[in-house]
Amino acid sequence: MDAGGAIINTAYDDTVPAFTRSLAQVAAKHGVRVNAVAPVSLPHLSAANQEARAQSAPNAMAADDAASSFVFLAGSESAGMNGHLINARDFVSAA
């Protein structure tokens, strides 16, 4: 991939955000940005909330919001972002 490129991971489990941050550090040396979108909520894991997480249904982004997140991360507007996660849990739709 050439400098200025962007890799966008899709996070459906708790390992992808850490992988994204790690890959972002390596790819940055080559001028490539790496970010992720979690269209389904990925709550912070702790011993206290693992059981509650297993029992709760995940929150999900609307398809248009998820698509907009990918387009944003691929475009020049996010040129300063590297190693970030857009999480459905934190997403607020403008609609």
Side-chain angles (χ1 to χ4, degrees), residues 43 45 49-58:
L45 283 183
N49 75 0
Q50 285 182 1
E51 184 176 324
R53 178 182 176 211
Q55 296 173 0
S56 67

Side-chain angles (χ1 to χ4, degrees), residues 1-64:
M1 181 172 288
D2 295 331
I7 297 171
I8 306 166
N9 294 320
T10 304
Y12 282 104
D13 65 40
D14 300 322
T15 61
V16 175
F19 171 74
T20 297
R21 288 189 298 273
S22 179
L23 184 58
Q25 290 177 348
V26 174
K29 298 172 186 173
H30 303 284
V32 176
R33 297 177 293 118
V34 182
N35 294 291
V37 174
V40 176
S41 181
L42 296 178
H44 296 293
L45 283 183
S46 69
N49 75 0
Q50 285 182 1
E51 184 176 324
R53 178 182 176 211
Q55 296 173 0
S56 67
N59 294 327
M61 285 181 179
D64 289 349

